[in-house]
Amino acid sequence: MHNQNRTHLKVDSLPHIVVTPPGPKSQQLHHRASQYMKGYSSQVRLFPVAFASGKGYTLTDVDGNTYIDFSSGIYVTGCGHCHPKITEAIQKQVATVVNCHDFTTEIKVKLLEKLVEILPGDLSGIQFYSDGTAAVEAGLRAGRAATGNSEFVSFWRDFHGKTLGAVSLAVMSEDKGMRASGFFLAPRPDCYRCPFKMSYPDCGIYCADFLEQVIEQESTGRVAAVVMEPIQGWAGSIFPPPEFIPKVRELCDRRGILLILDEILTGMGRTGTWFACEHYDVVPDIIIIGKGLGNGYPVTAVAIREERKDVLEKISASSSYGGNPVACAAALATIEVMEEENLLEKSAHLGEFILLKLEEMMERHPIIGDVRGKGCLFGVELVKNRDSKEPFDEAGKLVYQKAFRKGLAWIPAGHILRMSPPFMMPEEVAAKGIDILEEAIDETERELL
Ligand SMILES: Cc1ncc(COP(=O)(O)O)c(C=O)c1O
């Protein structure tokens, strides 16, 4: 068993801010990088800090500031930064063999067998990739090959990656260009901002019924799959009503359409279970996993149900780096750490603790319109007015920057604050993170209201 408290600092001295961040070294490095590096996320643009190291639930920047990590990279390092067992497994494999195309290695066999154990239902046809979007594309190709149909239906404000098929599953903007043909979008349930202006549960889950209308009105009737994030991450940690995904499953079964769940963000313990679909008692036909799978090492996968698994042969699913031995070593060690350190349970418990704190905080702050969470995945929605629910983007930016300056490394952009701490963060550290958040909200309210 490895030491859980993997930071060189004592819990009560966290965070440790020695120079107001982003400090001079961060700024200088970021200036040098940004002459060439283009396409930063809005988070980096809002707070251009340069990190030097990560340990457990902390990140340290080049100026020597140590932050409490409320982002896990970007929903990636659920087991904590540089977990010793995962680091050791990667180091050992790097010194053994790094790439041998998609030939079999023992480490890959072990990972495949382990994954089949933790995947829901009979999802047992697997292929590996190095980023999420490539696994999503493989899922789409597999969906087409398995059904002989070519169209897809996905949902408003889902995010699935940045390659053409993945982008075509999401809302368009001028800079992204045209959606590929055969892709249709349906309104997505969001009970805080229902697109149909209805209220749960009186709505009777109308959004699920409307999905059927989208299929009938938009497609040619040759829909291969409905593709969705079980819980929307990028859109702001938006949870569907409990009946929604089972209803979509039933619709898909009735119409001979596959259900593809993109669990890149929600999988691997993020919501307190291996996969978020377990909360809804639904097994998809195809699942996509990534992010937490290698605890930061790039490894992603597509998995398809037993009866259809040969379809991955049909689409020649392999790639240059997918399933390389180092990636497999990282993923196998990650799953073992999750099991050995009871991290599913810890994710669920820490999640309950933080959610309660957020709910209490909401009572004290008029700009908080909604708080929600499951496991270690949270959203806090900032509004100008609780009745109008008008999004408060300026507040979102200010809270983000203020909290970061005080020592909270985290994710938001826009009016929804998103948080995803590593699962083994002690409650007292999480409570400090929440206190920092509240101080930042307090100051922002005094400035903007
Ligand atoms: C749900 C979901 N799908 C797909 C992706 C794309 O993954 P990647 O950035 O590894 O290509 C992401 C990334 O944030 C995601 O959250």
Side-chain angles (χ1 to χ4, degrees), residues 233-247:
W234 170 83
S237 309
I238 298 173
F239 297 83
E243 301 87 342
F244 181 71
I245 300 178
K247 277 193 141 208

Side-chain angles (χ1 to χ4, degrees), residues 16-306:
H16 187 65
I17 300 298
V18 292
V19 44
T20 304
K25 288 185 186 157
S26 272
Q27 291 192 32
Q28 205 184 52
L29 266 186
H30 184 73
H31 173 73
R32 279 169 61 196
S34 59
Q35 291 181 64
Y36 310 110
M37 170 63 73
K38 300 295 163 192
Y40 283 109
S41 68
S42 53
Q43 294 146 36
V44 178
R45 288 199 297 269
L46 282 172
F47 207 85
V49 69
F51 285 116
S53 63
K55 207 167 183 192
Y57 42 81
T58 62
L59 275 167
T60 299
D61 72 17
V62 289
D63 293 285
N65 296 312
T66 296
Y67 304 77
I68 295 172
D69 179 18
F70 257 30
S71 65
S72 300
I74 178 84
Y75 307 96
V76 166
T77 53
C79 302
H81 294 282
C82 301
H83 189 290
K85 174 166 175 162
I86 303 169
T87 304
E88 194 182 311
I90 293 171
Q91 285 172 334
K92 206 168 138 203
Q93 190 59 52
V94 165
T96 308
V97 60
V98 172
N99 195 307
C100 48
H101 193 202
D102 62 339
F103 285 96
T104 299
T105 54
E106 191 176 356
I107 195 86
K108 191 196 284 184
V109 175
K110 286 184 177 163
L111 174 61
L112 286 165
E113 289 171 354
K114 195 79 197 160
L115 263 182
V116 170
E117 262 177 45
I118 66 165
L119 280 165
D122 61 348
L123 287 155
S124 59
I126 297 172
Q127 183 57 248
F128 294 112
Y129 297 91
S130 307
D131 56 20
T133 199
V136 169
E137 298 289 339
L140 298 181
R141 291 200 310 280
R144 281 185 169 164
T147 59
N149 289 336
S150 55
E151 296 171 322
F152 296 99
V153 179
S154 53
F155 293 92
W156 292 357
R157 307 199 70 227
D158 262 23
F159 178 72
H160 297 286
K162 296 186 180 171
T163 46
L164 186 58
V167 164
S168 297
L169 293 167
V171 283
M172 290 280 110
S173 57
E174 202 182 333
D175 52 316
K176 286 188 199 138
M178 296 276 291
R179 172 176 294 127
S181 64
F183 288 78
F184 310 105
L185 267 69
R188 168 91 191 197
D190 176 354
C191 294
Y192 182 63
R193 297 177 182 281
C194 174
F196 301 103
K197 308 257 181 266
M198 292 179 163
S199 299
Y200 176 80
D202 297 343
C203 61
I205 323 297
Y206 181 68
C207 45
D209 300 336
F210 196 80
L211 172 63
E212 191 138 24
Q213 290 192 42
V214 170
I215 291 170
E216 279 172 12
Q217 300 296 325
E218 301 277 341
S219 78
T220 64
R222 301 199 57 206
V223 176
V226 169
V227 186
M228 65 187 297
E229 290 182 86
I231 297 161
Q232 286 182 315
W234 170 83
S237 309
I238 298 173
F239 297 83
E243 301 87 342
F244 181 71
I245 300 178
K247 277 193 141 208
V248 174
R249 175 73 275 182
E250 182 277 319
L251 180 158
C252 288
D253 288 342
R254 186 161 35 80
R255 300 187 74 113
I257 295 172
L258 302 185
L259 176 62
I260 301 182
L261 287 185
D262 176 349
E263 292 240 22
I264 286 174
L265 187 146
T266 51
M268 296 304 296
R270 179 51 56 197
T271 68
T273 48
W274 279 115
F275 299 98
C277 60
E278 294 168 45
H279 296 295
Y280 306 104
D281 214 7
V282 160
V283 178
D285 299 290
I286 295 175
I287 196 167
I288 323 282
I289 55 179
K291 287 200 187 276
L293 180 58
N295 200 51
Y297 193 89
V299 48
T300 66
V302 61
I304 187 164
R305 290 175 83 158
E306 176 74 23

